[in-house]
Amino acid sequence: MRFHSLPRSKRYPESENEYAIVLHRYNAILDKLFADTEVFVVTVDWSITSMGPARFPEPRQTLHADGIRWWTEPDEDDPDPENHTYTRLYADRRPWQHGCIDGLLRAVADDRLTEVFITDTTLQRIHHPYDGGADVILTTPAERDRLRDKHIDWLSSHPSGL
């Protein structure tokens, strides 16, 4: 399921009022998915060596200071080692609270931080915010339909739903 973060599928907020709308929409969905549960908050960076410094450490390090390295995924398919990269996922576990990741969400809305996701601790429901909206993975079609129907005005008007 894909939700847009601003009316008329506007991609980037330009005022504090629009940031308030973006954060309201992100948090409304997150609250529906994760109220009274613990979540993993996951952020990503990448490097050209497995243990080397991140290519773009900020704002991830500042906004997700509690994230510990959880996983490193190598991309070594190219025969030229100069083109190898290592994607690193950082996670922290916390009780979900409305607004607890607003700094991360605002950076995502500005496209200053990419590849963030929030999931329950059993990895059953996933919320992946991006600049312009959020993709949400749910456990059943019925759960998806209930969430969709509650926020129908936040969906794309495009026939594909994108």
Side-chain angles (χ1 to χ4, degrees):
M1 171 72 35
R2 176 167 281 180
F3 295 100
H4 287 184
S5 55
L6 285 168
R8 295 175 302 285
S9 301
K10 183 176 179 182
R11 189 152 194 160
Y12 297 103
E14 297 178 31
S15 67
E16 286 305 312
N17 183 51
E18 288 181 340
Y19 280 106
I21 293 168
V22 167
L23 292 174
H24 166 74
R25 288 185 178 193
Y26 283 144
N27 278 294
I29 301 297
L30 288 160
D31 289 346
K32 291 284 185 207
L33 298 176
F34 305 123
D36 301 320
T37 65
E38 287 198 330
V39 297
F40 290 123
V41 175
V42 181
T43 57
V44 175
D45 72 20
W46 65 277
S47 178
I48 58 173
T49 64
S50 63
M51 297 305 288
R55 293 290 287 186
F56 304 100
E58 292 300 328
R60 192 207 64 76
Q61 284 179 335
T62 299
L63 295 174
H64 194 211
D66 292 337
I68 57 169
R69 190 178 299 184
W70 176 35
W71 185 275
T72 300
E73 184 66 31
D75 181 355
E76 299 171 331
D77 292 340
D78 193 302
D80 184 352
E82 297 271 328
N83 295 325
H84 294 177
T85 59
Y86 300 84
T87 302
R88 300 179 296 212
L89 284 77
Y90 298 82
D92 77 274
R93 183 176 179 155
R94 63 178 81 181
W96 174 254
Q97 294 179 334
H98 182 91
C100 71
I101 60 168
D102 280 0
L104 285 170
L105 295 172
R106 191 171 172 130
V108 167
D110 287 337
D111 198 27
R112 292 186 306 116
L113 186 64
T114 59
E115 303 310 325
V116 172
F117 68 90
I118 304 88
T119 182
D120 55 36
T121 57
T122 60
L123 305 175
Q124 297 291 307
R125 293 175 181 86
I126 300 173
H127 182 278
H128 180 261
Y130 63 89
D131 55 316
D135 291 333
V136 179
I137 298 172
L138 300 162
T139 58
T140 67
E143 183 182 22
R144 177 202 61 211
D145 293 348
R146 281 191 303 274
L147 191 61
R148 178 198 63 214
D149 294 348
K150 181 138 179 95
H151 301 289
I152 201 97
D153 293 343
W154 301 356
L155 303 176
S156 172
S157 60
H158 191 276
S160 72
L162 302 177

